[in-house]
């Protein structure tokens, strides 16, 4: 083999050997450096992992607390709804009991007066209905009359129908005769057992009603004149199928 080729081979072998040594040195340095860096960062990495686990635990606890808060809110809202419905039902029951008590008190008053007046009878007003006519200050009404003590012949007389309220000058009481739009303007009594009466009226614009006063003025001396006050409580209920408040009052009786 020529000397030039031999020298080239030696050089190549030497270069390869040096390359291997350099690679080994670099790898050894990399491994040493990695181990050193790992040993230096290992406490920090452990601390970060511990902190991560703690944050995960806090997150799970917050999720559980949120779910519990939502559940308690739903329960509280349901409880408030039940309380509102219970209060509404109790209010309605109380009103019905108060109305029944008022009716009994009125009937008791009638009976006491009958006892005091001897054998005289009386007429009772009941089933009073007041309905808005769809126009401002316009109303329809209906009520029924019955004998408190049966056995009297046909009774005659008239009804005193008055609206109590206020206008700019103070307290005012208006009768049907004071209202030009009232129809009818007089309410005669003609009953033996039951009579239904109805009508309509329109109030003055500056008049604010507060109640109704219905007085019974019989022409028969055997009957006691009576009067009853009723709160001003108009409704907007639809007409009865027959289209008549008077017929509705008759059916209720």
């Amino acid at each position: 083999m020529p000397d030039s080729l031999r020298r080239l081979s030696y050089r190549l072998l030497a270069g390869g050997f040096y390359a291997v040594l350099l690679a080994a040195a670099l790898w050894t340095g990399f491994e040493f450096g990695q181990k050193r860096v790992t040993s230096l960062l290992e406490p920090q990495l452990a601390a970060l992992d511990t902190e991560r686990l703690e944050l995960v635990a806090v997150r799970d606890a917050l999720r559980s607390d949120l779910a519990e808060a939502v559940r308690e809110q739903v329960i509280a809202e349901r409880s408030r709804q039940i309380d509102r419905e219970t209060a509404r039902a109790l209010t309605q029951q109380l009103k019905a009991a108060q109305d029944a008590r008022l009716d009994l008190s009125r009937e008791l008053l009638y009976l006491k007066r009958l006892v005091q007046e001897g054998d005289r009878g009386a007429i009772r007003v009941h089933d009073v209905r007041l309905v808005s006519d769809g126009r401002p200050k316009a109303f329809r009404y209906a009520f029924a009359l019955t004998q408190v003590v049966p056995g009297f012949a046909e009774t005659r007389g008239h009804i005193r129908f008055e609206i109590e309220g206020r206008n700019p000058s103070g307290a005012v009481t208006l009768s049907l005769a004071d209202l030009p739009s009232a129809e009818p303007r007089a309410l005669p009594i003609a009953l033996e057992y039951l009579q239904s009466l109805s009508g309509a009226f329109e109030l003055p614009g500056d008049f604010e009603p507060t109640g109704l006063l219905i007085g019974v003025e019989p022409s028969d001396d055997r009957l006691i004149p009576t009067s009853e006050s009723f709160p001003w409580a108009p409704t907007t209920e639809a007409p009865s199928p027959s289209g008549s408040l008077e017929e509705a009052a008759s059916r209720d009786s």
Side-chain angles (χ1 to χ4, degrees):
M1 177 181 296
D3 292 339
S4 58
L5 291 176
R6 186 178 296 112
R7 286 195 296 271
L8 180 60
S9 298
Y10 288 154
R11 290 176 180 175
L12 291 174
L13 289 173
F17 179 73
Y18 289 143
V20 171
L21 289 177
L22 180 61
L26 291 174
W27 179 257
T28 301
F30 174 75
E31 288 288 336
F32 178 76
Q34 185 180 23
K35 289 181 180 179
R36 185 176 181 181
V37 171
T38 301
S39 63
L40 292 175
L41 295 179
E42 185 173 359
Q44 298 181 11
L45 292 174
L48 290 174
D49 189 60
T50 301
E51 185 177 357
R52 181 185 65 82
L53 293 176
E54 291 176 352
L55 291 175
V56 169
V58 171
R59 182 203 62 187
D60 293 341
L62 290 176
R63 285 180 175 176
S64 177
D65 292 343
L66 178 61
E68 181 66 18
V70 171
R71 188 179 70 86
E72 291 179 355
Q73 182 180 5
V74 172
I75 294 175
E77 179 61 29
R78 180 57 180 166
S79 297
R80 287 192 293 269
Q81 183 180 1
I82 292 174
D83 291 342
R84 288 193 297 267
E85 293 175 354
T86 301
R88 187 181 301 110
L90 290 176
T91 301
Q92 293 175 350
Q93 292 177 7
L94 178 60
K95 185 179 183 303
Q98 290 175 339
D99 291 343
R101 181 180 178 182
L102 181 60
D103 288 341
L104 290 174
S105 297
R106 287 171 174 167
E107 190 165 355
L108 179 61
L109 178 61
Y110 278 131
L111 294 176
K112 286 182 177 179
R113 293 186 63 179
L114 290 177
V115 171
Q116 294 171 355
E117 296 291 339
D119 295 332
R120 300 176 69 187
I123 297 175
R124 182 187 177 195
V125 177
H126 60 92
D127 291 339
V128 177
R129 297 188 180 188
L130 185 65
V131 181
S132 175
D133 202 19
R135 294 173 296 145
K137 303 291 186 178
F139 302 92
R140 291 176 293 140
Y141 64 88
F143 59 92
L145 305 176
T146 55
Q147 295 275 13
V148 175
V149 178
F152 287 88
E154 183 179 23
T155 301
R156 295 189 176 275
H158 67 276
I159 292 294
R160 181 165 46 89
F161 190 95
E162 298 175 336
I163 302 99
E164 300 174 319
R166 301 184 64 86
N167 63 14
S169 62
V172 177
T173 299
L174 300 177
S175 66
L176 294 178
D178 298 325
L179 301 174
S181 61
E183 179 60 38
R185 302 187 68 181
L187 298 173
I189 299 174
L191 83 156
E192 184 173 355
Y193 302 107
L194 170 69
Q195 180 181 359
S196 296
L197 298 170
S198 64
F201 59 87
E202 185 172 351
L203 298 174
D206 61 352
F207 181 83
E208 292 300 328
T210 58
L212 292 176
L213 180 64
I214 302 179
V216 178
E217 302 290 344
S219 58
D220 193 332
D221 292 337
R222 294 178 302 164
L223 295 176
I224 303 171
T226 58
S227 63
E228 292 189 64
S229 296
F230 300 90
W232 183 264
T235 64
T236 56
E237 63 183 11
S240 60
S242 64
S244 169
L245 283 172
E246 182 177 352
E247 293 176 2
S250 299
R251 288 195 302 273
D252 289 343
S253 303

